[in-house]
């Protein structure tokens, strides 16, 4: 028995795939599933691991997923592979680090044409911190502009890995897949750990299932867990009884026990996803481990925005949607909020901008609620003259200037990787965003790492889009939270038709206030359609108007054309107009489209 | 197929109008997005064969009131072909019940022969595409004729005995000023026609203007000037005794277009010819647009209908509103009740209140209609009457 277990443990290989968006991670995962015959061709949906529609459409992975595969290697043995999928975006760094912690190895996928990107590098460092064996794979070698040799050199120069036997692959064309699988067998160490020691299982993901409660995705690091065991969450001290254990192949296979090295799922009638923290350790409640696994961190939202239903009768639907999403997303926070302009809604906290966009899109799509999203804000730390400390996550809640002693705002360390042709553009952009230059490192002859300290609020605005457009899409960005710093910030109000619109208020650095105010009123003029009357738009700091523009009155929109008997064309045109109106919120007497509330993010668009 | 059903044949007696499409042109205007092709090398004779077959298949029409031949350019046909067209209509559609028979004509190809043939064949009304009286603008919108041609065409039509002539004008054209529009209206008034249509330019996809606009090479008057032009033209024509009976249409009393009024009154009508639209027995039907496809379909099946849409009660109500409100007389509440079995006000209470408050809608005991301001912002009014 023990020998069997040991033998089995020695044949387990746990690995992740690290890749930049678009470098082919999902396609490679598909190929691996195909080659290990986890799925018959008929079952094979392209990009099997990305289950949610949204993930497939955006080509990114939001939720992690782990699959058990059997691979018959050239040495004649059958190995048990656990492929743990990781999200590939800056908002989810912590989740990536936990899923990497569940592995002994990682495939590093680098696009043979594009080379290493900032996000890839950040994740490679995470993998190295977790002591993972890294297998470099140079992908898309069948593309006409592939330069595998240059990329191989880059991997050696930039990361310091031995890339001499990196696999040259094309996941799309099915080239190099067997080499990858053989290297996993050879290079990735088998899991170490004592199956008889007290249980330590790392939670690297969770999801909510309406019938089974929270499903925790776990990696057994020490010990064994069996159905019926009493277990304890070491961070929250909550106890539960194990109902189900299993693995995904990716079909669900139930198990009686999971032991050292196994990667699978656990259910225990857990009602609340907030009881299952990613990074927490599950142990046995009767025979607990002495200490939890290292690296646990509670996730805090970095970005806040208001979500309001356009149709105010949908407020309850929105609350239900948030409740449902929260079940699956422990990082999502929300609380009710009221706006004079928008009525009842919620202030929601997110890990980052992508996280925010995904939640917003899911609410609109899956719950069919048209939303108004206010411009995202960070948390400002305010000391009042009365000695009170405030955390402000909504610009309209900022106290009057005379009541403020000091304001602090969050700063991040931003790492921007760019071809050296764009160094000037990147620096100009960072300076324009109140950045402090920290360092610049040449990674190779023509790739540069530029490091700036930047206010998070500037990144939240439109930094990423501007970075992409000023570097023709070549630069990539990674950032990490540094801490709060004092700043000279002021609140800017926007008035429509003479009325202050709280949902449009924003906090700006006083040196940039005029410039930004001007840009915003111009953008709003562009985004808000003509009304039956003239609408002045003003930007104000306190009582002082700093910028102004005017939307002219609508004068004529009647269709005065002979369409003959073609009524359907008239109808389509009117339906389009009516659809547009549905997506507008009447604020005072002005009909304001959704996009206008995000105008501040779009001031640099043409 | 509906074309052979008994119900359809019984329903025929209710259909009061027939539209016939002639999709051929000698020149393509830069703003036109109707179904049309250069006439050169086109199978015009085969087209007329197919048209005859399609019309013949539709049965007899003892109660038809209006016929309208539009295009394209019906007068682009040569004399022989044109005569053939008139004979087809005479054979299958024309009878004592017809009260209006219109043909669209371009000033440059109205010949005395064609006028004579039309008069002989029972055509009662001519609609002449003049568009504007400024030579440089005519050229810049792709029209072939000159201002003098328009006057000449109207003169000859009158000489041939036509007593119901309409001319089409346009405003909001590239580089057109308000003065130019006024001058065009003055010229049009001199011709003393019974009817004037003035359409505003709409830039539609798949037109030369659309492509120019995309490249930023089209200067349009803009909304303010367009509104001012609309205001001016309404005032000028009303002062001269024209009844502004529909958003784009003006008539001397008694000369309102009967055929077009069928559309606005949401009445059924036939559509014959390539790409034409009909409203038959509660269905919106569309014919194949491409000439060859149309001919082929008619030859194979006796009709060229490619799409039908059964209009639901809700849609019929919406259409009653957004078409009816185009007319000065608006929507009659009693007619509405008779047609749909429910009071207009009960369906649209909030909409009516809201639009009245905005000053766009007029209401009295009998009817709903656009106000003067509503005429300008018609689309806001129309779209409010969509129930979905």
């Amino acid at each position: 028995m023990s020998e069997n277990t040991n033998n089995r443990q020695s044949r387990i290989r746990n690995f992740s795939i690290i890749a930049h968006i678009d470098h082919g991670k999902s396609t490679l995962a598909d190929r691996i599933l195909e080659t290990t015959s986890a799925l018959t061709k008929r079952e094979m949906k392209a990009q099997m691991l990305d289950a949610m529609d949204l993930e497939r459409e955006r080509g990114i992975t939001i939720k992690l997923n782990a699959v058990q595969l059997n691979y018959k290697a050239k040495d004649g043995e059958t190995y048990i592979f656990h492929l743990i999928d990781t999200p590939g975006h800056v908002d989810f760094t912590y989740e990536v680090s936990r899923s990497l912690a569940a592995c002994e190895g990682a495939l590093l996928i680098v696009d043979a044409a594009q080379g290493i990107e900032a996000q890839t590098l950040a994740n490679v460092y995470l993998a190295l911190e977790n002591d993972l064996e890294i297998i470099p794979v140079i992908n898309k070698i069948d593309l006409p502009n592939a330069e595998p040799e240059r990329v191989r050199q880059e991997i050696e120069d930039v990361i310091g890995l031995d890339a001499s036997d990196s696999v040259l692959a094309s996941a799309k064309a099915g080239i190099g897949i067997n080499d990858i699988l053989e290297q996993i067998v050879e290079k990735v160490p088998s899991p170490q750990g004592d199956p008889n020691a007290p249980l330590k299982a790392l939670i690297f993901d969770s999801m909510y299932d309406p019938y089974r409660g929270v499903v925790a995705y776990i990696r057994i690091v020490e010990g064994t867990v069996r159905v019926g065991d009493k277990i304890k969450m070491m961070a929250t001290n909550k106890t539960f009884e194990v109902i189900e254990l299993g693995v995904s192949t990716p079909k669900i296979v139930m198990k009686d026990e999971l032991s050292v090295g196994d990667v699978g799922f656990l259910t225990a009638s857990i009602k609340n996803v907030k009881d299952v923290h990613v990074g927490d350790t599950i142990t046995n409640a009767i025979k607990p481990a002495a200490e939890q696994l290292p690296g646990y961190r509670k996730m805090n939202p970095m970005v806040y925005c208001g979500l309001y239903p356009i149709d105010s009768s949908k407020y309850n639907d929105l609350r239900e949607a948030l409740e449902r999403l929260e079940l699956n997303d422990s990082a999502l926070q929300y609380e009710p909020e009221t706006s004079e302009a928008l009525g009842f809604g919620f202030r929601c906290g997110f890990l980052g901008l992508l996280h925010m966009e995904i939640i917003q899109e899911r609410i609109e799509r899956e719950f069919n609620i048209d939303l108004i999203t206010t411009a995202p804000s960070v948390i400002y730390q305010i000391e009042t003259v009365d000695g009170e400390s405030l955390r402000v996550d909504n610009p309209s809640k900022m106290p009057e200037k005379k009541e403020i002693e000091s304001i602090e705002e969050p700063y991040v360390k931003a790492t921007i990787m760019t071809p050296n042709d764009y160094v000037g553009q990147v620096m100009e952009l960072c300076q324009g965003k109140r950045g402090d230059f920290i360092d610049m490192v040449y990674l190779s002859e023509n790739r540069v790492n530029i490091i700036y300290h930047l206010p998070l609020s500037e990144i939240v605005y439109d930094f990423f889009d501007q970075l992409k457009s000023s570097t023709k899409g070549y630069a990539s960005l990674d950032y990490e939270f540094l801490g709060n710093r004092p700043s000279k910030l002021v609140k800017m109000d926007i008035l429509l038709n003479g009325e202050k619109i709280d949902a449009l208020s924003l906090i700006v650095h006083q040196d940039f206030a005029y410039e930004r105010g001007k840009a915003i009123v111009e953008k709003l003029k562009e985004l808000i359609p003509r009304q039956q009357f003239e609408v002045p738009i003003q930007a104000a700091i306190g009582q002082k108007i700093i910028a102004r523009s005017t939307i002219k009155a609508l004068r004529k929109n009647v269709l005065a054309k002979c369409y003959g008997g073609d009524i359907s064309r008239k109808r389509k045109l009117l339906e389009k107009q009516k659809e547009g109106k549905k997506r507008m919120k009447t604020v005072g007497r002005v009909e304001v489209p959704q996009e206008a509330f995000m105008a501040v993010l779009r001031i640099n668009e043409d | 197929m509906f074309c052979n059903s008994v119900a359809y044949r019984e329903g025929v007696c209710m259909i009061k109008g027939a539209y016939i499409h002639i999709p051929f042109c000698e020149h393509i205007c830069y703003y036109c997005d109707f179904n049309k092709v250069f006439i050169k090398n086109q199978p015009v004779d085969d087209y007329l064969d197919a048209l005859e077959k399609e019309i013949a298949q539709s049965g007899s029409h003892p109660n038809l009131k209006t016929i309208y031949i539009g295009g394209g350019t019906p007068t682009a046909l040569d004399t022989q072909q044109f005569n053939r067209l008139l004979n087809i209509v005479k054979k299958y559609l024309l009878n004592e019940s017809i009260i209006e028979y219109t043909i669209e004509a371009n000033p440059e190809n109205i010949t005395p022969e064609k006028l004579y043939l039309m008069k002989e064949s029972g055509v009662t009304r001519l609609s002449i595409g003049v568009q504007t009286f400024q030579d440089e603008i005519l050229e810049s919108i792709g029209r072939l004729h000159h201002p003098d041609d328009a006057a000449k065409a109207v003169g000859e039509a009158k000489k041939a005995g036509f007593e119901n002539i309409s001319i089409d004008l346009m405003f909001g054209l590239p580089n057109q000023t308000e003065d130019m529009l006024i001058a065009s209206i003055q010229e049009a008034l001199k011709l003393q026609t019974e009817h004037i249509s003035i359409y505003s330019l709409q830039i539609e996809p798949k037109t030369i203007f659309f492509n120019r606009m995309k490249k930023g090479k089209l200067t349009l008057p803009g909304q303010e000037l367009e509104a001012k032009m609309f205001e001016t033209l309404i005032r000028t024509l009303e002062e001269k005794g024209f009844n502004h009976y529909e958003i784009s249409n003006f008539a001397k009393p008694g000369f309102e277009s009967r055929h077009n009024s069928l559309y606005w009154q949401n009445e059924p009508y036939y559509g014959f010819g390539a790409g034409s639209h009909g409203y038959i027995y509660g269905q919106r039907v569309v014919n194949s647009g491409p000439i060859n496809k149309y001919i082929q379909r008619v030859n194979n099946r006796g009709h060229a209908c490619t799409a039908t849409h059964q209009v639901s009660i809700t849609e019929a109500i919406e259409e009653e509103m957004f078409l009816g409100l185009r007319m000065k007389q608006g929507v009659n509440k009693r007619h509405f009740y008779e047609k749909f079995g429910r009071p207009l006000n009960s369906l649209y209470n909030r909409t009516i209140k809201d639009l009245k408050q905005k000053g766009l809608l007029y209401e009295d005991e009998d009817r709903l209609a656009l106000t003067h301001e509503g005429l300008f912002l018609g689309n806001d009014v129309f779209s409010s009457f969509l129930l979905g």
Side-chain angles (χ1 to χ4, degrees), chain A residues 246-259:
Chain A
V247 295
S248 149
T249 69
K251 281 174 285 189
I252 301 297
V253 178
M254 293 300 172
K255 300 273 180 189
D256 296 328
E257 64 168 49
L258 294 175
S259 191

Side-chain angles (χ1 to χ4, degrees), chain B residues 20-73:
Chain B
I20 298 165
H21 192 69
I22 303 299
F24 305 111
C25 292
E26 286 175 352
H27 191 77
I28 305 293
C29 304
Y30 299 163
Y31 51 84
C32 177
D33 71 330
F34 287 114
N35 189 38
K36 80 280 159 182
V37 290
F38 278 119
I39 193 165
K40 208 175 162 196
N41 299 327
Q42 287 292 330
V44 179
D45 293 317
D46 294 347
Y47 183 79
L48 293 173
D49 287 344
L51 192 62
E52 174 161 13
K53 204 176 267 181
E54 191 197 7
I55 296 174
Q57 283 284 332
S58 70
S60 66
H61 309 284
N63 297 311
L64 202 67
K65 297 265 187 287
T66 68
I67 300 167
Y68 192 107
I69 304 180
T73 317

